[in-house]
Amino acid sequence: MATATYPPPPPFYRLYKDYAQDPQSAPEPPPPIEGTYICFGGSYTTSDVLPSLEEQGVRQLYSKGPNIDFKKELRSLNGELQLHILELADILIERPSQYARRVEEISTVFKNLHHLLNSLRPHQARATLIHILELQIQRRKQAVEDVKRRREEARRLLNESLATLGGQ
Amino acid sequence: MDIISQLQEQVNSIANLALNTIGTLQRDAPPNRLSPNYPEPPAHPTEDGANFSEEPKLMSASLVKAAKQFDVLVASLPISETGEEAQIKRIAELQAENDAVGQELQKQLEAAEMELNQVQELYRQATDNCLNLKKPDVN
């Protein structure tokens, strides 16, 4: 891969010289990338899945399982956090040199909290999608009703005018 | 801001409050007497005064208030225990219904378009007839 300070644009534009006359003479756009790709020297991945806590090396404090009761777990984590802060204050009074473990426990609680909140995001995305679809269905039904009503009205007007002309 | 972002902001603010609380207390606490052998540590009346005993109360009050606010936000989460599969099923149902309604809308639109064309054609014929009737007068 050649690198330069001000690289020229890629020379693909020459292939599209006759695109207006013959759209088939130019190459198709490249297919969507799958897997990992490199962009400006950094590698990115196309699958945006949230890595679990164990992969990040953090102990998981809330219960695992297929369906997690988010509200209960968030509340219990909040209580544990307050408890740990209190423990830190106590240990600073009595044995100040042993603060490191308490601080580490507090940071674990915070990481668990944030991981729980991040794992709520896919649920939120699906709920947003459901909401948008419902709105769209409602709008389409409204449009169908409107079109039907207008057609009926137009037909009625035509019949009226026909009757008027016929009576003349 | 949506509820999850608010919850995340609240977690961060609790972290900041805890940091400030512990940090200020640790930095500003007056020295303590370690053992009866050593004399009393000299007091610093200039910095502390009456403020120092109030600060822990204020800071811990704001910390507890932030925690309570977090609980309130958690309670207002609109989560029903539907689970992922139920949501996906509902999305598939809605998509099917959306397609059906869309097709009906398309049909209605096409029929209305056809009727519009017919009416326009009739109107054109009528105006042509009118013009033809009027022609001898114009000339």
Side-chain angles (χ1 to χ4, degrees), chain A residues 59 93 102 150:
Chain A
R59 192 162 54 96
I93 296 175
R102 292 278 166 265
R150 300 289 176 148

Side-chain angles (χ1 to χ4, degrees), chain A residues 30-92:
Chain A
I33 305 177
E34 297 180 2
T36 60
Y37 61 95
I38 299 185
C39 177
F40 294 134
S43 79
Y44 300 88
T45 169
T46 46
S47 73
D48 287 316
V49 71
L50 180 72
S52 80
L53 276 177
E54 280 81 19
E55 291 164 18
Q56 293 172 357
V58 175
R59 192 162 54 96
Q60 179 167 340
L61 292 171
Y62 56 90
S63 53
K64 295 181 237 244
N67 276 346
I68 306 178
D69 184 2
F70 287 102
K71 294 194 186 186
K72 192 170 66 104
E73 299 293 348
L74 280 171
R75 268 193 271 258
S76 75
L77 276 176
N78 192 20
E80 266 199 55
L81 177 67
Q82 300 294 310
L83 216 65
H84 279 105
I85 294 179
L86 214 58
E87 278 180 14
L88 176 64
D90 276 333
I91 213 163
L92 278 176

Side-chain angles (χ1 to χ4, degrees), chain A residues 78, chain B residues 10 13-14 17 61-71:
Chain A
N78 192 20
Chain B
Q10 195 63 23
S13 75
I14 293 183
L17 282 169
S62 61
L63 187 61
V64 169
K65 206 161 59 148
K68 284 207 175 106
Q69 180 71 17
F70 182 77
D71 276 335

